[in-house]
Short mmCIF file of all heavy atoms in Angstrom, two decimals:
data_model
loop_
_atom_site.label_atom_id
_atom_site.label_comp_id
_atom_site.label_asym_id
_atom_site.label_seq_id
_atom_site.Cartn_x
_atom_site.Cartn_y
_atom_site.Cartn_z
N THR A 1 -32.98 38.38 82.70
CA THR A 1 -32.25 38.23 81.45
C THR A 1 -30.79 37.94 81.75
O THR A 1 -30.19 38.59 82.61
CB THR A 1 -32.36 39.51 80.59
OG1 THR A 1 -33.74 39.83 80.38
CG2 THR A 1 -31.68 39.33 79.25
N SER A 2 -30.23 36.95 81.05
CA SER A 2 -28.83 36.61 81.25
C SER A 2 -28.21 36.17 79.93
O SER A 2 -28.93 35.81 78.99
CB SER A 2 -28.67 35.49 82.29
OG SER A 2 -29.15 34.26 81.76
N ILE A 3 -26.89 36.20 79.89
CA ILE A 3 -26.17 35.73 78.71
C ILE A 3 -24.95 34.95 79.17
O ILE A 3 -24.31 35.30 80.17
CB ILE A 3 -25.75 36.92 77.80
CG1 ILE A 3 -25.08 36.40 76.53
CG2 ILE A 3 -24.89 37.92 78.54
CD1 ILE A 3 -24.88 37.48 75.47
N ASN A 4 -24.66 33.87 78.48
CA ASN A 4 -23.53 33.02 78.86
C ASN A 4 -22.74 32.59 77.63
O ASN A 4 -23.31 32.11 76.64
CB ASN A 4 -24.02 31.77 79.59
CG ASN A 4 -22.87 30.91 80.06
OD1 ASN A 4 -22.08 31.32 80.91
ND2 ASN A 4 -22.75 29.71 79.51
N LEU A 5 -21.42 32.78 77.70
CA LEU A 5 -20.52 32.34 76.63
C LEU A 5 -20.36 30.83 76.72
O LEU A 5 -19.88 30.30 77.73
CB LEU A 5 -19.17 33.03 76.77
CG LEU A 5 -18.08 32.61 75.79
CD1 LEU A 5 -18.48 32.91 74.36
CD2 LEU A 5 -16.77 33.31 76.14
N GLY A 6 -20.77 30.13 75.67
CA GLY A 6 -20.68 28.67 75.67
C GLY A 6 -19.35 28.17 75.16
O GLY A 6 -18.78 27.24 75.74
N SER A 7 -18.85 28.77 74.10
CA SER A 7 -17.58 28.30 73.54
C SER A 7 -16.97 29.33 72.62
O SER A 7 -17.67 30.20 72.08
CB SER A 7 -17.79 26.99 72.76
OG SER A 7 -18.68 27.20 71.67
N ILE A 8 -15.65 29.22 72.45
CA ILE A 8 -14.91 29.95 71.43
C ILE A 8 -14.09 28.93 70.66
O ILE A 8 -13.38 28.13 71.25
CB ILE A 8 -13.95 31.00 72.03
CG1 ILE A 8 -14.72 32.02 72.86
CG2 ILE A 8 -13.17 31.71 70.93
CD1 ILE A 8 -13.81 32.99 73.60
N VAL A 9 -14.24 28.95 69.35
CA VAL A 9 -13.45 28.07 68.49
C VAL A 9 -12.77 28.96 67.45
O VAL A 9 -13.43 29.70 66.75
CB VAL A 9 -14.30 27.00 67.80
CG1 VAL A 9 -13.44 26.14 66.88
CG2 VAL A 9 -15.01 26.13 68.83
N ALA A 10 -11.44 28.87 67.41
CA ALA A 10 -10.72 29.76 66.51
C ALA A 10 -9.39 29.16 66.11
O ALA A 10 -8.88 28.25 66.76
CB ALA A 10 -10.49 31.11 67.19
N GLY A 11 -8.85 29.68 65.02
CA GLY A 11 -7.50 29.32 64.65
C GLY A 11 -7.38 28.07 63.79
O GLY A 11 -8.35 27.57 63.22
N GLY A 12 -6.17 27.56 63.77
CA GLY A 12 -5.85 26.44 62.89
C GLY A 12 -6.19 25.10 63.51
O GLY A 12 -5.29 24.29 63.80
N VAL A 13 -7.47 24.86 63.71
CA VAL A 13 -7.90 23.63 64.38
C VAL A 13 -8.36 22.55 63.40
O VAL A 13 -8.66 21.43 63.84
CB VAL A 13 -9.03 23.92 65.39
CG1 VAL A 13 -8.54 24.84 66.50
CG2 VAL A 13 -10.25 24.53 64.69
N ASP A 14 -8.43 22.85 62.13
CA ASP A 14 -8.97 21.87 61.18
C ASP A 14 -8.17 20.56 61.22
O ASP A 14 -8.76 19.47 61.29
CB ASP A 14 -8.95 22.45 59.75
CG ASP A 14 -9.90 23.61 59.59
OD1 ASP A 14 -10.63 23.89 60.55
OD2 ASP A 14 -9.93 24.22 58.51
N ASN A 15 -6.87 20.67 61.18
CA ASN A 15 -6.03 19.47 61.19
C ASN A 15 -6.14 18.71 62.51
O ASN A 15 -6.18 17.47 62.53
CB ASN A 15 -4.57 19.83 60.93
CG ASN A 15 -4.32 20.22 59.48
OD1 ASN A 15 -5.20 20.07 58.63
ND2 ASN A 15 -3.14 20.72 59.19
N SER A 16 -6.16 19.44 63.63
CA SER A 16 -6.20 18.77 64.93
C SER A 16 -7.56 18.12 65.20
O SER A 16 -7.64 17.10 65.89
CB SER A 16 -5.83 19.73 66.06
OG SER A 16 -6.66 20.87 66.07
N ILE A 17 -8.62 18.69 64.64
CA ILE A 17 -9.93 18.03 64.74
C ILE A 17 -9.89 16.70 64.01
O ILE A 17 -10.36 15.67 64.52
CB ILE A 17 -11.04 18.94 64.17
CG1 ILE A 17 -11.27 20.14 65.08
CG2 ILE A 17 -12.34 18.16 64.00
CD1 ILE A 17 -12.22 21.17 64.51
N TYR A 18 -9.31 16.72 62.83
CA TYR A 18 -9.17 15.49 62.05
C TYR A 18 -8.34 14.46 62.82
O TYR A 18 -8.69 13.28 62.89
CB TYR A 18 -8.53 15.80 60.71
CG TYR A 18 -8.25 14.59 59.86
CD1 TYR A 18 -9.27 13.96 59.14
CD2 TYR A 18 -6.97 14.05 59.78
CE1 TYR A 18 -9.02 12.85 58.36
CE2 TYR A 18 -6.70 12.93 59.00
CZ TYR A 18 -7.73 12.34 58.30
OH TYR A 18 -7.48 11.23 57.53
N GLN A 19 -7.25 14.91 63.43
CA GLN A 19 -6.38 14.00 64.19
C GLN A 19 -7.11 13.42 65.40
O GLN A 19 -6.94 12.24 65.74
CB GLN A 19 -5.13 14.74 64.64
CG GLN A 19 -4.19 15.11 63.50
CD GLN A 19 -3.10 16.08 63.94
OE1 GLN A 19 -2.91 16.30 65.13
NE2 GLN A 19 -2.41 16.66 62.97
N ALA A 20 -7.93 14.24 66.06
CA ALA A 20 -8.67 13.77 67.24
C ALA A 20 -9.63 12.64 66.85
O ALA A 20 -9.77 11.64 67.58
CB ALA A 20 -9.44 14.92 67.87
N VAL A 21 -10.27 12.79 65.70
CA VAL A 21 -11.18 11.74 65.22
C VAL A 21 -10.40 10.49 64.85
O VAL A 21 -10.75 9.37 65.23
CB VAL A 21 -11.99 12.25 64.01
CG1 VAL A 21 -12.82 11.11 63.40
CG2 VAL A 21 -12.91 13.41 64.42
N GLU A 22 -9.30 10.69 64.12
CA GLU A 22 -8.49 9.55 63.69
C GLU A 22 -7.90 8.77 64.87
O GLU A 22 -7.77 7.55 64.83
CB GLU A 22 -7.35 10.04 62.79
CG GLU A 22 -7.78 10.44 61.38
CD GLU A 22 -8.21 9.25 60.55
OE1 GLU A 22 -7.36 8.39 60.26
OE2 GLU A 22 -9.41 9.17 60.22
N ASN A 23 -7.57 9.48 65.95
CA ASN A 23 -6.93 8.87 67.11
C ASN A 23 -7.92 8.46 68.19
O ASN A 23 -7.52 8.05 69.29
CB ASN A 23 -5.88 9.80 67.69
CG ASN A 23 -4.71 10.01 66.76
OD1 ASN A 23 -4.27 9.08 66.08
ND2 ASN A 23 -4.18 11.23 66.70
N ASN A 24 -9.23 8.61 67.88
CA ASN A 24 -10.29 8.22 68.83
C ASN A 24 -10.09 8.86 70.20
O ASN A 24 -10.22 8.21 71.25
CB ASN A 24 -10.33 6.69 68.98
CG ASN A 24 -10.74 5.98 67.70
OD1 ASN A 24 -11.69 6.40 67.03
ND2 ASN A 24 -10.02 4.93 67.35
N ILE A 25 -9.82 10.14 70.19
CA ILE A 25 -9.65 10.87 71.44
C ILE A 25 -11.00 10.95 72.17
O ILE A 25 -12.02 11.28 71.56
CB ILE A 25 -9.11 12.29 71.18
CG1 ILE A 25 -7.76 12.20 70.44
CG2 ILE A 25 -8.96 13.06 72.48
CD1 ILE A 25 -6.68 11.46 71.19
N ALA A 26 -11.01 10.65 73.44
CA ALA A 26 -12.24 10.68 74.23
C ALA A 26 -12.84 12.07 74.23
O ALA A 26 -12.10 13.07 74.28
CB ALA A 26 -11.96 10.23 75.65
N PRO A 27 -14.18 12.17 74.21
CA PRO A 27 -14.81 13.50 74.19
C PRO A 27 -14.34 14.41 75.32
O PRO A 27 -14.18 15.62 75.12
CB PRO A 27 -16.31 13.15 74.33
CG PRO A 27 -16.43 11.80 73.70
CD PRO A 27 -15.16 11.08 74.06
N ALA A 28 -14.12 13.85 76.51
CA ALA A 28 -13.70 14.67 77.64
C ALA A 28 -12.32 15.31 77.42
O ALA A 28 -11.99 16.33 78.02
CB ALA A 28 -13.68 13.84 78.91
N ASP A 29 -11.51 14.70 76.57
CA ASP A 29 -10.16 15.20 76.32
C ASP A 29 -10.03 15.93 74.98
O ASP A 29 -8.96 16.47 74.67
CB ASP A 29 -9.17 14.03 76.32
CG ASP A 29 -9.19 13.25 77.62
OD1 ASP A 29 -9.34 13.89 78.68
OD2 ASP A 29 -9.07 12.01 77.58
N ALA A 30 -11.11 15.93 74.20
CA ALA A 30 -11.02 16.41 72.82
C ALA A 30 -10.72 17.90 72.73
O ALA A 30 -9.91 18.33 71.88
CB ALA A 30 -12.31 16.09 72.07
N ALA A 31 -11.33 18.72 73.60
CA ALA A 31 -11.13 20.17 73.49
C ALA A 31 -9.66 20.53 73.71
O ALA A 31 -9.07 21.31 72.95
CB ALA A 31 -12.01 20.90 74.50
N GLN A 32 -9.07 19.97 74.77
CA GLN A 32 -7.67 20.25 75.04
C GLN A 32 -6.77 19.73 73.92
O GLN A 32 -5.83 20.40 73.49
CB GLN A 32 -7.24 19.63 76.37
CG GLN A 32 -5.82 19.98 76.77
CD GLN A 32 -5.40 19.28 78.04
OE1 GLN A 32 -5.10 18.09 78.03
NE2 GLN A 32 -5.40 20.02 79.14
N TYR A 33 -7.06 18.54 73.43
CA TYR A 33 -6.26 17.95 72.35
C TYR A 33 -6.30 18.84 71.11
O TYR A 33 -5.27 19.15 70.52
CB TYR A 33 -6.78 16.55 72.02
CG TYR A 33 -6.00 15.84 70.94
CD1 TYR A 33 -4.95 14.98 71.28
CD2 TYR A 33 -6.29 16.03 69.59
CE1 TYR A 33 -4.22 14.33 70.29
CE2 TYR A 33 -5.57 15.40 68.60
CZ TYR A 33 -4.53 14.54 68.96
OH TYR A 33 -3.81 13.91 67.98
N VAL A 34 -7.51 19.23 70.72
CA VAL A 34 -7.67 20.05 69.52
C VAL A 34 -6.92 21.37 69.67
O VAL A 34 -6.28 21.84 68.73
CB VAL A 34 -9.17 20.29 69.22
CG1 VAL A 34 -9.35 21.40 68.19
CG2 VAL A 34 -9.83 19.00 68.75
N CYS A 35 -6.99 21.96 70.85
CA CYS A 35 -6.30 23.24 71.07
C CYS A 35 -4.77 23.06 71.03
O CYS A 35 -4.08 23.75 70.29
CB CYS A 35 -6.72 23.83 72.40
SG CYS A 35 -5.92 25.42 72.77
N PHE A 36 -4.27 22.13 71.82
CA PHE A 36 -2.82 21.99 71.95
C PHE A 36 -2.16 21.42 70.69
O PHE A 36 -0.95 21.60 70.49
CB PHE A 36 -2.48 21.13 73.15
CG PHE A 36 -2.77 21.78 74.48
CD1 PHE A 36 -2.58 21.09 75.66
CD2 PHE A 36 -3.22 23.10 74.56
CE1 PHE A 36 -2.85 21.69 76.90
CE2 PHE A 36 -3.49 23.71 75.77
CZ PHE A 36 -3.30 23.00 76.94
N LYS A 37 -2.93 20.74 69.86
CA LYS A 37 -2.39 20.18 68.62
C LYS A 37 -2.69 21.07 67.41
O LYS A 37 -2.38 20.70 66.27
CB LYS A 37 -2.96 18.79 68.37
CG LYS A 37 -2.61 17.75 69.43
CD LYS A 37 -1.12 17.40 69.42
CE LYS A 37 -0.81 16.29 70.41
NZ LYS A 37 0.62 15.93 70.41
#
């Protein structure tokens, strides 16, 4: 038996998610972009 944390998503990311889509941010860079923005 094992357990693994896959992701944590929290905070004011709604706007930065929208910006990532609008700016066509590459999937590999999207997590950092969403967090830092």
Side-chain angles (χ1 to χ4, degrees):
T1 305
S2 70
I3 184 169
N4 183 65
L5 176 62
S7 62
I8 300 174
V9 178
V13 297
D14 293 355
N15 287 352
S16 55
I17 290 173
Y18 176 78
Q19 292 169 12
V21 173
E22 285 291 295
N23 294 322
N24 295 315
I25 302 300
D29 302 323
Q32 184 184 77
Y33 181 94
V34 167
C35 180
F36 290 176
K37 298 292 184 180

